[in-house]
């Protein structure tokens, strides 16, 4: 019954049937016809405004949830967003719940960027307050993120891994991220093979996909690569880079070193008359002959002209 009530609540007022005490449940994760993208997000926000009264809250009374879904974004991106809030005001409310363990405080479900921008502007934040369980908060958070700017691959992976570490069941995590069992396993594996502090140091890296993050995990597991990555990420110049560029710097830093094959020393060949006409080196695959044109100016040309005859003579010895 809790699951049915939860999905009905998240689907919005239109999912409720006319019959009192009955509801037609439409799962927001699996619905094929729910509006998506920016238009869907605005539609859901309008429904939220219609269905729930809003409260102006002091931003300092609102805490983060136990698991944060987004990594901090690049400063330039946030400044642009915050400037829009300052100039036009907060158009879309955030969603909070009464704090489960501290009276008089709240915990945010979604809208952390809006909260941060409104707080920076010194304003009260418009919020819809809803009593939610931990599972309900995670699902509301996931629905909002799928409607708005998509989480990057590593944000999804880190979020999934941290939810599981906090004890959330996989069906809840799958619903929050709109993924099946196999994709959820891949997300969790990707996050757990990478040090969490390095992921946070790099950031969301929205242009970087699963394969490159997986390769980075392999690279960081070798020798002291992780320590060198941490040292680089502490550099102020690197911190100022966009997250995808930070990823590229760490990816390059952790690349396996190419081992140069040492060439065997050349052996000098000396003729009976004392002329050091050539030198050679060999390995399992090749024999390299080097003619010294200064010591024997015409020997190289002669040797090349005699090569067919020499080879033919060699073949006869094998018969």
């Amino acid at each position: 019954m809790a699951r049915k009530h939860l999905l009905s609540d998240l689907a919005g007022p239109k999912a409720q049937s006319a019959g009192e005490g009955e509801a037609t449940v439409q799962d927001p994760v699996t619905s094929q016809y729910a509006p998506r993208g920016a238009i869907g997000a605005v539609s859901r926000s309008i429904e939220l405004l219609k269905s729930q009264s809003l409260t102006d809250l002091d931003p300092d009374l609102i805490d983060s949830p136990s698991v944060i879904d987004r990594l901090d974004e690049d400063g330039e991106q946030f400044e642009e967003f915050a400037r829009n809030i300052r100039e036009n005001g907060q158009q879309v409310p955030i969603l909070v719940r009464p704090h489960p363990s501290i009276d008089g405080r709240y915990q945010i479900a979604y809208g952390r960027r809006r909260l941060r921008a409104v707080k920076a502007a010194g304003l009260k934040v418009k919020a819809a307050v809803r009593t939610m369980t931990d599972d309900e908060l995670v699902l509301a958070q996931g629905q909002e993120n799928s409607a708005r700017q998509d989480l990057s691959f590593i944000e999804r992976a880190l979020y999934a891994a941290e939810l599981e570490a906090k004890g959330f069941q996989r069906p809840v995590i799958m619903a929050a991220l709109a993924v099946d069992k196999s994709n959820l396993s891949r997300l969790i594996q990707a996050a757990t093979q990478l040090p969490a502090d390095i992921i946070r140091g790099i950031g969301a890296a929205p242009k970087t996909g699963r394969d490159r993050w997986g390769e980075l995990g392999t690279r960081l597991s070798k020798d002291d690569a992780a320590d060198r990555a941490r040292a680089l990420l502490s550099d102020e110049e690197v911190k100022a880079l966009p997250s995808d560029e930070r990823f590229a710097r760490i990816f390059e830093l952790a690349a396996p070193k190419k081992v140069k094959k040492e060439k065997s020393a050349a052996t000098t060949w000396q003729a009976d008359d004392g002329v050091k006409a050539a030198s050679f080196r060999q390995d399992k695959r090749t024999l390299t002959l080097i003619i010294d044109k200064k010591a024997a100016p015409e020997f190289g040309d002669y040797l090349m002209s005699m090569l067919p005859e020499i080879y033919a003579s060699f073949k006869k010895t094998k018969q």
Side-chain angles (χ1 to χ4, degrees):
M1 287 300 294
R3 170 71 172 163
K4 182 175 180 180
H5 169 74
L6 165 63
L7 294 177
S8 176
D9 186 31
L10 291 178
K14 290 186 179 180
Q16 304 294 330
S17 69
E20 186 176 353
E22 296 180 357
T24 301
V25 178
Q26 182 182 23
D27 192 326
V29 173
T30 58
S31 174
Q32 300 179 37
Y33 306 106
R36 298 186 63 81
I39 294 175
V42 171
S43 298
R44 272 179 287 276
S45 296
I46 291 172
E47 291 299 329
L48 184 61
L49 285 165
K50 287 179 179 179
S51 63
Q52 294 182 277
S53 59
L54 301 181
T55 304
D56 289 335
L57 295 177
D58 181 347
D60 288 330
L61 295 177
I62 303 173
D63 299 323
S64 296
S66 60
V67 180
I68 296 175
D69 53 337
R70 289 190 181 277
L71 298 173
D72 290 337
E73 61 188 328
D74 295 331
E76 186 175 335
Q77 289 178 322
F78 176 75
E79 285 303 322
E80 182 179 350
F81 176 75
R83 184 167 53 252
N84 188 306
I85 292 282
R86 285 194 301 270
E87 293 174 357
N88 303 301
Q90 180 190 351
Q91 303 300 314
V92 179
I94 67 172
L95 177 63
V96 301
R97 70 171 177 176
H99 200 289
S101 58
I102 306 175
D103 289 340
R105 297 193 67 81
Y106 301 87
Q107 203 170 50
I108 190 167
Y110 58 71
R112 285 198 308 124
R113 293 170 73 236
R114 276 165 276 166
L115 175 62
R116 183 180 163 200
V118 169
K119 184 175 180 178
L123 303 172
K124 296 274 185 136
V125 63
K126 293 183 179 68
V129 182
R130 181 190 299 170
T131 301
M132 291 178 283
T133 65
D134 290 345
D135 284 0
E136 288 171 335
L137 184 143
V138 166
L139 285 167
Q141 200 173 54
Q143 182 191 39
E144 176 73 1
N145 284 328
S146 66
R148 295 182 181 278
Q149 178 185 359
D150 287 340
L151 297 176
S152 69
F153 169 77
I154 199 60
E155 283 180 307
R156 290 164 61 82
L158 190 61
Y159 185 47
E162 291 193 353
L163 284 174
E164 184 169 66
K166 290 285 186 179
F168 287 90
Q169 298 300 307
R170 287 207 169 188
V172 173
I173 307 173
M174 288 160 51
L177 289 170
V179 294
D180 58 20
K181 288 183 179 179
S182 59
N183 282 322
L184 178 60
S185 296
R186 293 189 189 101
L187 286 170
I188 292 174
Q189 181 183 13
T192 52
Q193 73 171 344
L194 286 154
D197 63 320
I198 291 180
I199 294 176
R200 295 188 183 282
I202 291 173
K207 297 178 183 177
T208 305
R210 182 183 73 188
D211 291 345
R212 283 175 66 79
W213 278 107
E215 173 61 22
L216 179 61
T218 300
R219 293 183 178 190
L220 290 176
S221 66
K222 305 293 177 62
D223 302 324
D224 62 343
D227 290 336
R228 289 187 290 116
R230 291 185 179 98
L232 182 60
L233 287 170
S234 67
D235 184 276
E236 293 300 324
E237 181 181 341
V238 175
K239 286 181 180 180
L241 294 173
S243 58
D244 278 298
E245 291 185 32
R246 288 198 295 270
F247 177 92
R249 292 285 293 272
I250 297 300
F251 193 77
E252 182 181 355
L253 173 76
K257 296 177 181 179
K258 294 181 179 179
V259 180
K260 292 183 179 180
K261 293 182 179 179
E262 293 185 4
K263 294 182 179 179
S264 58
T267 301
T268 300
W269 179 80
Q270 183 173 317
D272 291 340
D273 59 4
V275 175
K276 296 178 181 179
S279 61
F280 65 91
R281 63 167 58 95
Q282 61 182 328
D283 53 34
K284 293 181 179 180
R285 296 186 60 190
T286 61
L287 169 65
T288 303
L289 182 64
I290 304 166
I291 304 300
D292 188 339
K293 288 188 174 183
K294 186 176 181 180
E298 299 176 356
F299 180 55
D301 293 336
Y302 174 77
L303 182 61
M304 291 302 296
S305 68
M306 294 297 294
L307 202 56
E309 185 176 336
I310 293 171
Y311 186 75
S313 176
F314 163 75
K315 293 291 286 184
K316 286 181 181 179
T317 65
K318 297 297 181 181
Q319 292 178 355

